[in-house]
Amino acid sequence: MTDSSSQRSWGETRRALLTRVLVVYLGVSFAVLETVDIFSDQIGLPHWFFLGTVYLLIIGLPIVVITGLVHFAHRNGGADPGADEGDAESGAYGEQERIPARRHWLTWQRAVLGGFAVLAIWGLVVTVYMTTRALGVGPVGSLVAAGVIDEREQIILADFQDNSGDPLLGRAATEAFRIDLSQSTIVTVVEPGRVDQALALMQKDPEVALGEDLAREVAIREGIKAVVAGEITPVGTGYVLAARLVSAEDGRVLAASRETARDSTALISAIDRLSKKLRERIGESIKTIRAADPLDHVTTPSLAALRKYSQAVSVIEQGDNERGISLLEEAVALDTAFAMAWRKLGVTLSNIGRDRERVIEAVTKAYEHRDRLTDRERYLTLGTYYADVTGENDRAIAAYQTLLDGNPSDTWALNNLGLLYLETRDFRLAEQLLVRAIEVDSMGALYFSNALTALVAQGKVDEAERILADFARRVPGHPTVATSEVALAGARFDYERGERVTREFGEANRSSAFWSIYTSFNLATLSEVRGRLADAERYLTEAIAAAEDQGDLALVVGAHVRLAFYDLMFRGEAARAVERVEATLQRHPLETMSLLERPYLTLATFYALAERPERARAYLNEAERATEADRGRDSEGDVEATAGLVALAEGNLPRAIEQIRAADEGACSICTLPFLGHAYDEAGQPDSVVAIYERYVNTPWLYRLGSSDWFALANVYERLAGLYEMRGDTEQALIYYNRFVELWKDADPELQPRVEAARRAVERLSAET
């Protein structure tokens, strides 16, 4: 018998050997897997190649261990120090004949060579797979390589067929699949707007479900080869999802995939896997597919939140921003890290001019969760954050341009980049971007309204009218049709048309608090510009009542200050105007409003024009502090212009002119001109006044009515006429006297003495001529 110390020595030696073998094998395995992972990322190997390599290495582990044990036993003569002498002797003679035979097959050389041979064969398998796929050969060949469809082919996504009895589930699944499929670099999903346009031509209701057959008919009409159709079916507590690429012409299934989800919480991940399978079969690089984030990191792991988001996007596209905001708030309540819902909420609030602090909060939350987004949505979020929160427009432009470099047809990026170029007054480039967005999605209301801005700014008013008429044919009844037509009427000085459209629109949207306030304000503006102050005051009073019901105190105070402007600008009663504003601030203290909603600039402007420089300066200081807290709001020009008016009230004319001139920036190229002309007038520089006022009345701008015409246009006409008369330029004086008379021909009786004076001037100058 061996002693215990010899037995421990034998066991320890064997364990040490096995430990070394395992360490070496695991180290080699790690190196192999790292190499496979690197190649997977670089050339896009299929996902199963990595898993297969793991399985092969696991199978190789016991072979290596057995080889190590055999090698150890042979080296020690096959004797077991734990056996008795008889056994040992028997082992010495019996094992000496068997060990060489076993060692012949289980040597380190053969184990290593065998391992490399298996890996080589495995590599050959994946090479054959990748080659046949790239060549479009066999069942794994891609459709693009086989020539079935072309690269960057357009496809239509049909609505998922829902077999669960929950219509919102199918809608949410369709939206999730659209988001993931939009990441594809090899096919382009047709925008819903283009599909709606085709449905309108087919005299089909755009709200009808886009089933596979209807989608195929649309595809045939639009010259699109293929349709993606899907369905979702409940099985027990889980779901089975299927998707297929179908030939539009004959309904032949070109590619199909299936996935399962254990329950509703796993649906998003299942859709992600399903989309990737279909994209791979179509022919997209596996490397590209793997580079995209999983869908549950793109949107939300909450199916309920995705449902709310899908509904919100739909109703916002139809012009119901209020309902869309409510749905988005429900979505982010269900998933507080739902980045794209936060972004959409911030953008929608900003588009309708609501609660600036909520806009910043929403966009900032989207930015904080940007790692959950795809590259496309991350760049959109970065662009929104830089433009709307930090005011870094250069970085916003870079973000959108990077997105367009990879996807030149991304309508959101085209639209937002176009808006940024509007701010730089590069109206030609803005027009190009926005027209491209319309070409991709001819149903996008924002693209049309923003394109109108770029066109009118270049003087292309007739072309703007044509584009608006085209949009009205595509989406009759959409709110953007009416609001854009009113704006265009103002740009053409056609106030009767603007009033008619506004009244019709208001009547059709009486149930909406938001559009009721819009209607009242618009009718007030159309009355103000024509000197109908009594009508304007009635409309503003209606708007104030509606705003109070909504709890919008900033709007209430702003409307009261606007009423005070009537006394100040039209009636020349500064004391009465100040009294009205003071009473308003007593009823509605600014401290009851959020900081960024307080109308500091409006109040500073009012008190400056009322020649109360101390109050004006105090409110200007508050406005500057608020601007520092809100770098995303494009208000630096407004602050500079107001500072110029305050300097004017303080008697510092050179400083006033300098600051107002510096404020002439941003998209609106006329907004500061009435104030600049007024400053030159106060400085006794009539030639500069004429030059500035001529530029004001002759520079086209879509939103000129609401920007400044409502209070400035009549005064500018009247002042230009008087200055030209003093110059002895009878022709120009007659032009502007007549414009003034035409504008205010139906003004309130209290303003008619000015109209009569202009008529007498026309008669006098006409007689002299």
Side-chain angles (χ1 to χ4, degrees):
M1 296 290 292
T2 58
D3 59 26
S4 60
S5 62
S6 175
Q7 188 173 1
R8 283 195 302 271
S9 176
W10 171 278
E12 290 170 357
T13 303
R14 184 167 55 186
R15 282 195 298 274
L17 175 64
L18 288 176
T19 300
R20 287 197 297 271
V21 168
L22 288 173
V23 168
V24 171
Y25 187 77
L26 292 176
V28 171
S29 298
F30 178 78
V32 170
L33 292 176
E34 280 292 298
T35 302
V36 170
D37 189 52
I38 290 172
F39 274 94
S40 296
D41 289 337
Q42 294 297 319
I43 63 176
L45 297 178
H47 64 278
W48 48 260
F49 182 66
F50 184 88
L51 294 176
T53 305
V54 172
Y55 293 145
L56 289 176
L57 291 171
I58 292 173
I59 293 170
L61 180 59
I63 297 174
V64 170
V65 171
I66 293 171
T67 301
L69 289 174
V70 171
H71 179 76
F72 179 80
H74 174 77
R75 189 179 64 184
N76 290 276
D80 185 347
D84 56 30
E85 291 181 2
D87 291 340
E89 186 175 340
S90 171
Y93 288 99
E95 290 293 319
Q96 283 175 357
E97 295 180 357
R98 289 193 297 271
I99 287 175
R102 289 164 60 186
R103 184 171 176 266
H104 176 73
W105 292 104
L106 292 172
T107 64
W108 286 122
Q109 182 180 12
R110 287 185 178 277
V112 172
L113 290 177
F116 279 116
V118 169
L119 290 176
I121 293 171
W122 183 234
L124 180 62
V125 169
V126 77
T127 300
V128 172
Y129 171 87
M130 296 290 286
T131 302
T132 54
R133 181 178 181 277
L135 295 175
V137 177
V140 301
S142 74
L143 299 178
V144 170
V148 177
I149 63 175
D150 298 327
E151 190 168 347
R152 301 305 301 176
E153 186 78 59
Q154 287 189 322
I155 60 174
I156 291 179
L157 176 61
D159 291 339
F160 264 59
Q161 178 181 333
D162 172 54
N163 301 321
S164 68
D166 181 358
L168 290 180
L169 186 61
R171 188 184 304 173
T174 304
E175 183 64 26
F177 203 81
R178 183 187 307 281
I179 292 171
D180 201 31
L181 202 58
S182 68
Q183 301 174 54
S184 174
T185 59
I186 206 161
V187 294
T188 301
V189 182
V190 174
E191 293 283 346
R194 182 177 172 188
V195 175
D196 290 345
Q197 178 186 352
L199 290 174
L201 293 174
M202 295 163 62
Q203 296 185 334
K204 299 283 188 180
D205 184 359
E207 297 300 316
V208 70
L210 187 68
E212 180 179 336
D213 292 340
L214 184 57
R216 283 178 51 206
E217 185 177 350
V218 171
I220 292 171
R221 283 173 170 266
E222 296 294 307
I224 295 170
K225 292 182 181 179
V227 168
V228 174
E231 61 184 48
I232 178 169
T233 305
V235 178
T237 60
Y239 298 88
V240 173
L241 296 99
R244 56 194 175 275
L245 185 71
V246 179
S247 169
E249 192 64 39
D250 55 16
R252 179 166 48 94
V253 176
L254 305 175
S257 297
R258 292 181 63 188
E259 272 295 337
T260 60
R262 65 181 181 277
D263 54 34
S264 62
T265 63
L267 270 174
I268 304 300
S269 297
I271 290 172
D272 172 56
R273 297 191 302 272
L274 184 66
S275 169
K276 286 182 177 179
K277 282 184 179 179
L278 192 62
R279 287 162 60 188
E280 181 179 346
R281 182 68 178 90
I282 292 171
E284 187 170 350
S285 165
I286 301 171
K287 170 187 173 183
T288 305
I289 298 173
R290 188 175 295 117
D293 294 330
L295 185 59
D296 58 349
H297 289 171
V298 172
T299 309
T300 172
S302 168
L303 180 62
L306 182 60
R307 285 173 170 170
K308 298 294 183 184
Y309 177 81
S310 302
Q311 286 180 277
V313 171
S314 176
V315 299
I316 289 170
E317 287 177 351
Q318 295 166 21
D320 192 349
N321 291 307
E322 293 171 285
R323 176 65 176 147
I325 289 170
S326 177
L327 288 166
L328 289 169
E329 288 173 336
E330 292 180 39
V332 296
L334 291 166
D335 177 11
T336 57
F338 194 169
M340 285 307 292
W342 281 116
R343 178 193 173 277
K344 188 68 173 177
L345 177 60
V347 169
T348 307
L349 287 168
S350 180
N351 285 344
I352 65 174
R354 286 276 183 89
D355 199 336
R356 181 63 188 163
E357 289 189 356
R358 289 177 66 201
V359 172
I360 293 174
E361 177 192 16
V363 176
T364 300
K365 283 187 179 292
Y367 178 78
E368 290 170 351
H369 297 296
R370 62 192 181 280
D371 292 338
R372 293 168 56 92
L373 303 175
T374 62
D375 284 345
R376 171 184 181 267
E377 292 170 319
R378 183 164 54 252
Y379 283 123
L380 286 172
T381 299
L382 289 174
T384 304
Y385 179 76
Y386 293 140
D388 288 358
V389 177
T390 65
E392 299 173 277
N393 284 358
D394 289 345
R395 298 184 71 180
I397 288 173
Y400 292 132
Q401 190 59 63
T402 301
L403 175 53
L404 288 173
D405 289 342
N407 185 2
S409 299
D410 192 290
T411 53
W412 288 11
L414 288 168
N415 178 75
N416 295 351
L417 189 58
L419 286 177
L420 289 169
Y421 281 118
L422 281 177
E423 287 298 313
T424 66
R425 299 189 185 174
D426 191 339
F427 301 126
R428 183 188 60 81
L429 181 53
E431 176 199 348
Q432 292 174 358
L433 292 164
L434 293 163
V435 169
R436 277 171 54 193
I438 293 171
E439 290 170 351
V440 175
D441 180 7
S442 59
M443 311 294 280
L446 282 176
Y447 318 147
F448 275 92
S449 61
N450 293 331
L452 295 181
T453 304
L455 289 167
V456 173
Q458 298 174 81
K460 301 179 181 179
V461 182
D462 290 340
E463 187 172 347
E465 292 276 12
R466 180 187 60 77
I467 284 184
L468 178 59
D470 186 47
F471 180 65
R473 283 193 299 271
R474 298 175 191 277
V475 195
H478 196 287
T480 298
V481 174
T483 58
S484 297
E485 188 172 357
V486 171
L488 267 174
R492 286 188 177 276
F493 309 102
D494 186 354
Y495 306 121
E496 284 75 17
R497 174 192 176 191
E499 182 176 354
R500 183 185 70 255
V501 174
T502 301
R503 289 188 184 282
E504 292 172 354
F505 178 75
E507 185 65 26
N509 293 273
R510 283 183 299 174
S511 60
S512 168
F514 176 80
W515 290 120
S516 293
I517 293 174
Y518 162 84
T519 299
S520 295
F521 259 102
N522 229 43
L523 290 173
T525 303
L526 288 160
S527 298
E528 291 159 350
V529 72
R530 292 177 289 176
R532 302 174 184 177
L533 302 185
D535 289 343
E537 188 160 356
R538 185 175 73 255
Y539 295 131
L540 276 186
T541 302
E542 293 174 0
I544 289 170
E548 286 178 336
D549 290 341
Q550 296 292 308
D552 194 341
L553 295 183
L555 186 59
V556 170
V557 172
H560 277 294
V561 174
R562 186 157 177 160
L563 287 171
F565 267 105
Y566 298 173
D567 295 327
L568 183 65
M569 303 293 290
F570 297 115
R571 301 185 179 108
E573 299 179 7
R576 180 181 174 186
V578 170
E579 183 180 342
R580 182 193 287 266
V581 172
E582 295 291 344
T584 298
L585 294 176
Q586 286 288 331
R587 290 194 303 272
H588 304 290
L590 297 185
E591 293 73 20
T592 61
M593 309 171 203
S594 63
L595 174 65
L596 301 185
E597 294 302 304
R598 298 172 188 175
Y600 287 131
L601 277 180
T602 300
L603 290 167
T605 299
F606 169 80
Y607 280 108
L609 293 174
E611 298 183 350
R612 305 295 197 275
E614 297 82 7
R615 293 292 300 278
R617 178 64 66 181
Y619 283 121
L620 177 62
N621 292 338
E622 294 295 334
E624 289 174 340
R625 279 191 284 271
T627 300
E628 286 299 317
D630 183 7
R631 303 304 303 172
R633 176 177 282 177
D634 185 25
S635 57
E636 288 188 11
D638 296 334
V639 171
E640 196 76 15
T642 304
L645 291 176
V646 174
L648 187 63
E650 293 170 339
N652 189 345
L653 294 176
R655 179 63 175 163
I657 292 171
E658 177 187 356
Q659 289 188 298
I660 298 174
R661 285 177 63 88
D664 186 15
E665 59 180 19
C668 181
S669 50
I670 67 168
C671 290
T672 61
L673 298 183
F675 299 129
L676 184 58
H678 174 59
Y680 279 125
D681 219 356
E682 291 293 307
Q685 301 181 36
D687 290 344
S688 296
V689 177
V690 170
I692 294 299
Y693 282 167
E694 281 284 0
R695 179 181 156 198
Y696 175 71
V697 298
N698 292 305
T699 299
W701 181 243
L702 181 62
Y703 300 105
R704 63 177 304 134
L705 175 61
S707 300
S708 50
D709 275 3
W710 67 274
F711 71 86
L713 187 61
N715 291 332
V716 167
Y717 282 163
E718 189 179 34
R719 184 59 179 149
L720 271 175
L723 289 172
Y724 277 122
E725 184 178 5
M726 286 191 295
R727 279 186 177 185
D729 191 336
T730 302
E731 182 180 355
Q732 290 297 314
L734 282 171
I735 288 174
Y736 285 108
Y737 275 131
N738 280 317
R739 287 187 185 181
F740 174 71
V741 169
E742 178 63 24
L743 184 63
W744 270 16
K745 63 184 178 183
D746 297 321
D748 288 352
E750 62 182 321
L751 300 180
Q752 284 300 324
R754 290 171 59 182
V755 180
E756 287 303 318
R759 285 197 177 101
R760 289 194 298 272
V762 169
E763 293 172 0
R764 182 181 65 255
L765 293 174
S766 298
E768 292 175 0
T769 302

